[in-house]
Amino acid sequence: MAEVLTQPQFQILTHQHTNAKTGRIYFPALFLAEYYPVVNDWLLTQEIQFEERDIKLYGDGSFRIYFHSNSLKKQYLQLIKMLPKTAFV
């Protein structure tokens, strides 16, 4: 049986040759259904850089994004702070 994800899945990836770091977040459809405005506001912040090719949309309404920032984990934590406290109960 497949697991239904309800929380974003965050990873920091390191390029094996250049050591450049990239953030990757998968936003499940159930999470987006409730918190889309918050995710949208977070993606519009100037600290997050990405291009259209960095986004993969899935048929169920979820998406994955690769992004760059001076501090990847800090930006992810900023997203978490923007969510209501009930988001991770």
Side-chain angles (χ1 to χ4, degrees):
M1 177 184 275
E3 180 181 349
V4 177
L5 298 174
T6 59
Q7 303 299 322
Q9 305 297 306
F10 172 69
Q11 291 179 302
I12 296 176
L13 307 172
T14 303
H15 191 278
Q16 64 182 359
H17 298 294
T18 65
N19 287 330
K21 298 202 182 296
T22 302
R24 177 172 70 183
I25 301 180
Y26 171 75
F27 290 100
L30 288 174
F31 181 82
L32 290 170
E34 191 159 348
Y35 303 111
Y36 178 80
V38 175
V39 173
N40 189 55
D41 289 346
W42 179 76
L43 289 171
L44 292 173
T45 61
Q46 292 181 353
E47 291 82 11
I48 307 290
Q49 293 96 39
F50 62 93
E51 297 179 18
E52 186 176 341
R53 68 180 180 176
D54 298 327
I55 301 172
K56 170 133 176 133
L57 303 173
Y58 297 99
D60 66 354
S62 62
F63 73 93
R64 179 198 69 214
I65 183 168
Y66 290 93
F67 69 97
H68 298 277
S69 175
N70 290 336
S71 177
L72 298 167
K73 188 171 183 178
K74 179 180 175 185
Q75 292 311 313
Y76 175 69
L77 293 174
Q78 184 61 35
L79 167 65
I80 301 306
K81 283 186 196 176
M82 293 170 68
L83 295 167
K85 292 187 190 290
T86 58
F88 289 97
V89 174

